Amino acid sequence: MTFEDLQIGSILVSTVRNAPVLIFAGMAGLFAERSGVIDIGLEGKILASAFVSAAVAFATQNPWYGVAAGMLVSVLLATLQAYVAITQKGNQLVAGIAINIAMSGLTFVVAQFFFQQGGRTPDLGQARLFDVVLPGSAAVEGIPFIGWLYAHLIGGHSVLVYLAFGLVPLVHWVLYHTRFGLRLRACGENPHAADAAGVSVERQRYTAMLIAGVLCSFSGAYLAIVQSGFFLRDMSAGAGYLALTAMVFGNWRPVYTFLGCLMFGFFGAVQIQIEGVDLPLVGRLPGSLIQMVPYVVTVIVLAGLMAKSVAPKALGTPFVKSR
């Protein structure tokens, strides 16, 4: 394969398919961090929900049972994280990292115990969530560009893809146009002022963490039930950290965070496309070097934007009620 053989259309479709994992996690992180809680435990919750979703979907042969089970375990982990960070005033970074490390090992051990396949689950087969074919796709598929746009770029994706893209305007509306969103942002900016106005800071932060747990579960379910069709150890491959980077890129705003997720999805798609391709001047790159692309982009984004991004003022600061 040569450089000229690369298909821009395939890259764009792959971008749409790669982005939902990051979008769900990015929106989850937004709720948590806008309330003032650092949610570095996104990675662990993605892994836990991916494993449970795949295991339950395989056992029941019903993908929606898998999605529900993954949601339950992600919410339980979010509740534990909230208890440590909010009620016990513990170190939020340590709590999140502990969840990530624990889930990385625990999912592998439990998968090996139950399935004896080297820490992975069996292929889901018909228990996967399959793509949605939009009405009229066959009729327009032969039309140049329009057929591809409608049948492949807009259509032909799992229902979770549409949920992810539809989630962005919903999150924006909740955060900026509802009373709940106003109180949530107040707890992240000035919790003492919110408390003086009669807002329960702890309740708002717990609610934000539970919402984050629900949204994060969709990332894991998408990985296992849609993209891969099985669970594999550490299959999230840093998606939780990439989502956090997209959030910094987006300055803790839903639409810009979404654009950051698309950016990382695009580079992930390019990474897949250039494997085995003869590039001009440099030739064929080693696979290990190609796999570094999204993470190199992460470092560049953080180095260039971290100083310019303005986080919620109370982010990472435990709330102690004034007497």
Side-chain angles (χ1 to χ4, degrees):
M1 182 183 288
T2 64
F3 181 71
E4 289 75 15
D5 294 326
L6 287 176
Q7 298 293 322
I8 299 301
S10 298
I11 292 176
L12 293 178
V13 172
S14 295
T15 299
V16 172
R17 291 175 179 264
N18 289 341
V21 175
L22 302 176
I23 294 172
F24 284 126
M27 296 302 115
L30 268 179
F31 274 102
E33 301 210 351
R34 275 293 189 171
S35 75
V37 180
I38 298 175
D39 194 1
I40 206 168
L42 292 172
E43 184 81 2
K45 285 177 281 191
I46 292 174
L47 277 175
S49 56
F51 166 67
V52 173
S53 294
V56 172
F58 175 76
T60 62
Q61 288 298 296
N62 187 318
W64 293 111
Y65 288 164
V67 172
M71 186 184 301
L72 177 61
V73 73
S74 182
V75 167
L76 289 175
L77 286 174
T79 303
L80 174 62
Q81 187 179 358
Y83 175 75
V84 173
I86 301 169
T87 303
Q88 297 299 318
K89 322 295 184 191
N91 187 299
Q92 298 173 10
L93 289 173
V94 173
I97 292 172
I99 287 176
N100 293 344
I101 295 173
M103 291 305 105
S104 176
L106 188 61
T107 51
F108 170 78
V109 170
V110 176
Q112 177 64 16
F113 177 79
F114 281 108
F115 300 109
Q116 300 293 315
Q117 293 192 12
R120 58 163 282 175
T121 63
D123 291 331
L124 297 182
Q126 294 301 311
R128 294 180 66 175
L129 279 176
F130 290 101
D131 295 340
V132 175
V133 178
L134 296 181
S137 294
V140 302
E141 194 162 7
I143 303 175
F145 182 72
I146 294 177
W148 168 82
L149 180 69
Y150 181 73
H152 298 287
L153 187 64
I154 298 175
H157 305 293
S158 162
V159 65
L160 290 184
V161 174
Y162 301 109
L163 177 61
F165 280 81
L167 185 65
V168 178
L170 177 62
V171 171
H172 177 84
W173 177 77
V174 168
L175 285 179
Y176 294 103
H177 299 283
T178 67
R179 181 179 298 178
F180 170 77
L182 176 62
R183 291 177 173 179
L184 189 75
R185 288 184 288 120
C187 291
E189 296 291 341
N190 194 332
H192 291 286
D195 179 64
V199 177
S200 173
V201 175
E202 289 196 355
R203 183 185 302 168
Q204 290 292 126
R205 289 184 171 180
Y206 261 101
T207 303
M209 289 299 294
L210 293 179
I211 293 173
V214 171
L215 296 181
C216 202
S217 72
F218 290 123
S219 288
Y222 183 81
L223 273 177
I225 299 179
V226 177
Q227 273 196 329
S228 302
F230 55 84
F231 170 81
L232 185 67
R233 183 179 188 179
D234 291 332
M235 69 185 303
S236 55
Y241 300 111
L242 290 177
L244 287 173
T245 305
M247 196 166 51
V248 174
F249 170 85
N251 207 18
W252 285 266
R253 295 175 182 272
V255 174
Y256 295 123
T257 298
F258 165 71
L259 294 177
C261 293
L262 282 183
M263 178 186 69
F264 286 121
F266 172 78
F267 282 111
V270 170
Q271 167 200 330
I272 295 171
Q273 288 291 321
I274 64 176
E275 284 195 52
V277 174
D278 293 316
L279 300 175
L281 301 178
V282 297
R284 188 169 300 186
L285 296 176
S288 56
L289 188 62
I290 294 172
Q291 291 170 7
M292 291 170 54
V293 170
Y295 308 103
V296 171
V297 173
T298 300
V299 173
I300 294 172
V301 168
L302 286 176
L305 296 175
M306 196 67 182
K308 301 176 183 178
S309 297
V310 181
K313 291 183 176 62
L315 181 62
T317 304
F319 172 68
V320 180
K321 192 175 180 68
S322 301
R323 301 194 179 189

